Amino acid sequence: MAAETKPKVTCYSEGEGAFMRRSQALRGRLLHPLLVGLARLRITPNHLTLLSLLTGLAFCPVFLWGFHAAAFTLLLAHVLLDGLVGPLARHTQRASSQGSFTDTMADQVVVTFSTLTLLHAGYAAAWPGGLYVFFYCMVVIFAMVRNALAIPYSWLVRPRFFVYAWMPIEVYFWRGSLNGLLWIAALLLAWKMLTGFIQIRRKI
């Protein structure tokens, strides 16, 4: 096994970093037999990241074809696979800045394309959806820059899981409600982007 390397640059705030380490350690204990099996099959964290990315992207055409239940299943698979990446990286002692960066970018690609899919299908309006994607991307970038400058966010908002969970509600039960959630998420992310910009500008 490769020597474990603690990621130096991540997109997590101070509080999130500690929580993620505890969460991954707990998942590592609970999922130990699965992680052992994956390691024996020579499945790496990068393999899981790629599979998570592909299942997340597969949501888009499947949803647009009208197979909504199958699309939501693929999105759930994306989230579950993404949740295995960190524990497997720790188990195989492959945690690294490169892996963390790759996983974060894959997550952001799914956030962007899944939101664009909802916009295209008419389940989200252009302004809240577009601003949500823009501010989310900027906050992730600023979080990485701030961590690299040793001025991490004290806390962050990560609304993607709430948006993912709300999608079936929007489709099956409450049409038009997703826009409200996207507006709230966009406003919170805009605030974190602004504070991130100010702190980065002061530091450099």
Side-chain angles (χ1 to χ4, degrees):
M1 292 183 184
E4 182 175 3
T5 304
K6 183 179 178 182
K8 297 178 181 178
V9 180
T10 70
C11 64
Y12 299 114
S13 66
E14 284 184 309
E16 283 181 314
F19 174 79
M20 286 295 295
R21 288 189 291 272
R22 291 194 299 270
S23 173
Q24 287 181 3
L26 175 61
R27 280 177 280 159
R29 291 193 296 271
L30 294 176
L31 300 173
H32 185 260
L34 175 60
L35 298 177
V36 170
L38 292 173
R40 285 177 178 172
L41 293 171
R42 297 185 178 181
I43 296 175
T44 69
N46 284 337
H47 292 148
L48 289 184
T49 296
L50 177 60
L51 187 57
S52 174
L53 173 64
L54 293 176
T55 55
L57 289 177
F59 161 86
C60 303
V62 174
F63 186 88
L64 292 175
W65 291 334
F67 301 109
H68 294 156
F72 293 137
T73 301
L74 287 167
L75 199 58
L76 176 61
H78 157 72
V79 172
L80 294 177
L81 288 166
D82 183 50
L84 285 174
V85 174
L88 183 62
R90 289 170 62 94
H91 176 76
T92 57
Q93 297 184 338
R94 292 175 181 269
S96 67
S97 294
Q98 292 90 344
S100 178
F101 175 75
T102 302
D103 187 53
T104 298
M105 292 300 99
D107 292 344
Q108 202 56 43
V109 167
V110 175
V111 167
T112 300
F113 280 88
S114 62
T115 305
L116 290 174
T117 298
L118 294 175
L119 290 170
H120 182 76
Y123 287 98
W127 276 106
L131 291 175
Y132 164 73
V133 168
F134 171 73
F135 289 133
Y136 211 141
C137 289
M138 293 302 298
V139 167
V140 168
I141 293 169
F142 281 6
M144 289 186 169
V145 173
R146 288 189 59 161
N147 285 338
L149 294 174
I151 50 169
Y153 280 108
S154 58
W155 62 275
L156 277 176
V157 179
R158 297 188 186 277
R160 68 185 177 111
F161 297 118
F162 295 102
V163 173
Y164 292 161
W166 201 267
M167 288 180 184
I169 296 174
E170 166 71 25
V171 171
Y172 295 121
F173 305 107
W174 192 1
R175 186 70 182 268
S177 60
L178 183 62
N179 284 326
L181 179 60
L182 291 174
W183 273 120
I184 294 171
L187 290 173
L188 290 172
L189 290 166
W191 171 251
K192 298 308 293 183
M193 187 192 76
L194 177 61
T195 58
F197 172 81
I198 292 171
Q199 290 301 319
I200 291 171
R201 190 173 186 277
R202 287 174 178 171
K203 183 69 174 181
I204 61 176

